[in-house]
C-alpha cells in the first residue's frame, strides 16, 4: 500500500513534534509535508518535506491539495493564525480531504494572578491608558499597529527578530529574543524596565514563563482571548490525540 500524504500546517512546537512522531511511529505508512509561513527560520530541522510561504487563500490551497495528492491535513498552527485555519477548513471541504485541528488548551489564571481578559487587540489598547504606565508587549509584530494611538504608556516590545524601520509607537524600547524564556530572565525584564502590565495573547500550552514572572512581581496581565477555530473541523488538544486520529485515516 502506498504511503498516505499528510500535510501539517505548522510553525508550532506541536507541529514539529507531530512531524517527527508521525514518521517515526507510522512504519513508513505516511509521507509528511510540513508547511511553514516563513516569517521565521525554524529552530529545529523537520523530517520529511518542508514548504514555505502562503498558499494563495482557499483557491490556492485547494489547488495544492489536489496537485500534491494530499490524503489528510492536520492544522497545528498557532491559535491566533485564524486566516490559515479558515482557508484550510474551506479548502479541505472543497477538496474532500479529511482535516483535524490541534488546539492547545488555554492558560487558566492561578492564585495571585491579576488578569484582565479582553476580546481583541483594539480592546486591549483602549484599556491600557486606564490601568497601565509601563507595558511589556508580547503580541508579535503584526499587532503592534493596534497600540499606535496609546500615547500615555511606555512599551517594552519583545520581537523574535529586529524590526524593519521604526515601530508605530510613541514611547518604547525593543528587546529581541526567541524562546524558550526562563522565569528568572522574565522576572529580570519586569524589574529592569519597571513593568506594571503584561499584554499577551491567550496562546495556551505549558504555563508560560512571562505569566509566572508577572505573578511573582505583582504585575497585571491583559490577556487577549483567542479566536475560535473553524467549528466544522474536528479538533484535539494533544499530539498523542492527533496521532490517534491519523492512524485509522491511513490504515482504513
Amino acid at each position: 500500500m502506498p504511503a498516505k500524504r499528510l500535510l501539517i500546517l505548522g510553525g508550532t512546537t506541536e507541529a514539529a513534534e507531530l512531524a517527527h512522531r508521525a514518521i517515526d511511529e507510522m512504519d513508513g505508512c505516511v509521507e509528511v509535508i510540513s508547511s511553514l509561513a516563513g516569517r521565521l527560520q525554524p529552530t529545529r530541522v523537520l523530517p520529511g518535506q518542508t514548504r514555505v510561504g502562503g498558499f494563495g487563500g482557499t483557491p490556492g490551497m485547494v489547488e495544492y491539495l489536489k496537485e500534491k495528492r494530499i490524503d489528510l491535513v492536520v492544522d497545528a498552527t498557532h491559535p491566533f493564525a485564524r486566516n490559515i485555519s479558515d482557508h484550510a477548513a474551506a479548502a479541505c471541504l472543497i477538496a474532500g480531504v479529511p482535516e483535524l485541528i490541534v488546539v492547545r488548551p488555554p492558560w487558566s489564571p492561578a492564585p495571585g494572578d491579576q488578569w484582565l481578559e479582553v476580546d481583541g487587540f483594539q480592546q486591549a489598547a483602549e484599556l491600557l491608558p486606564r490601568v497601565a504606565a509601563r507595558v511589556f508587549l508580547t503580541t508579535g509584530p503584526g499587532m503592534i499597529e493596534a497600540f499606535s494611538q496609546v500615547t500615555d504608556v511606555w512599551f517594552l516590545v519583545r520581537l523574535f527578530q529586529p524590526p524593519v524601520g521604526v515601530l508605530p509607537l510613541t514611547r518604547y524600547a525593543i528587546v529581541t529574543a526567541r524562546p524558550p524564556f526562563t522565569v528568572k530572565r522574565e522576572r529580570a525584564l519586569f524589574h529592569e524596565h519597571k513593568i506594571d502590565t503584561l499584554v499577551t495573547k491567550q496562546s495556551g500550552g505549558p504555563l508560560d514563563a512571562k505569566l509566572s514572572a508577572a505573578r511573582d512581581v505583582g504585575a497585571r496581565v491583559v490577556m487577549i482571548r483567542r479566536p475560535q477555530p473553524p467549528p466544522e473541523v474536528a479538533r484535539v488538544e494533544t499530539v498523542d490525540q492527533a496521532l490517534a486520529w491519523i492512524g485509522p485515516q491511513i490504515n482504513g
Side-chain angles (χ1 to χ4, degrees), residues 39 141-142 144 159-168 172 174 176:
R39 298 184 185 93
I144 294 175
L159 300 172
F160 292 166
Q161 57 190 15
V164 177
V166 178
L167 299 184
Y172 69 92
I174 296 171
T176 304

Side-chain angles (χ1 to χ4, degrees), residues 33-207:
I33 303 174
S34 294
S35 179
L36 307 176
R39 298 184 185 93
L40 295 171
Q41 289 294 321
T43 56
R44 58 191 293 192
V45 177
L46 296 174
Q49 301 178 44
T50 302
R51 69 169 302 278
V52 178
F55 289 92
T58 298
M61 186 172 288
V62 171
E63 181 179 350
Y64 182 86
L65 294 176
K66 292 180 178 179
E67 177 187 344
K68 297 298 184 181
R69 302 190 303 278
I70 300 299
D71 295 294
L72 55 157
V73 173
V74 174
D75 177 357
T77 55
H78 192 277
F80 279 77
R82 182 60 193 265
N83 284 343
I84 183 63
S85 292
D86 285 344
H87 294 160
C92 287
L93 184 63
I94 293 169
V97 176
E99 184 195 11
L100 181 76
I101 298 181
V102 180
V103 183
R104 60 176 73 149
W107 296 313
S108 297
D113 283 336
Q114 304 176 58
W115 284 20
L116 300 171
E117 296 187 79
V118 297
D119 285 324
F121 298 92
Q122 189 59 45
Q123 195 175 108
E126 293 169 357
L127 174 65
L128 285 182
R130 303 198 300 270
V131 301
R134 297 178 68 83
V135 168
F136 187 13
L137 188 62
T138 64
T139 57
M143 294 298 122
I144 294 175
E145 180 66 36
F147 300 89
S148 61
Q149 301 304 309
V150 183
T151 58
D152 296 332
V153 171
W154 182 89
F155 292 93
L156 175 65
V157 183
R158 177 151 68 202
L159 300 172
F160 292 166
Q161 57 190 15
V164 177
V166 178
L167 299 184
L169 299 172
T170 303
R171 298 186 296 141
Y172 69 92
I174 296 171
V175 57
T176 304
R178 294 187 66 171
F181 304 114
T182 66
V183 175
K184 180 179 180 181
R185 178 55 186 150
E186 298 289 70
R187 194 185 301 120
L189 282 176
F190 277 86
H191 285 305
E192 178 183 353
H193 298 282
K194 299 180 174 61
I195 299 298
D196 57 59
T197 303
L198 167 69
V199 178
T200 191
K201 298 181 292 189
Q202 175 55 284
S203 299
L207 183 61

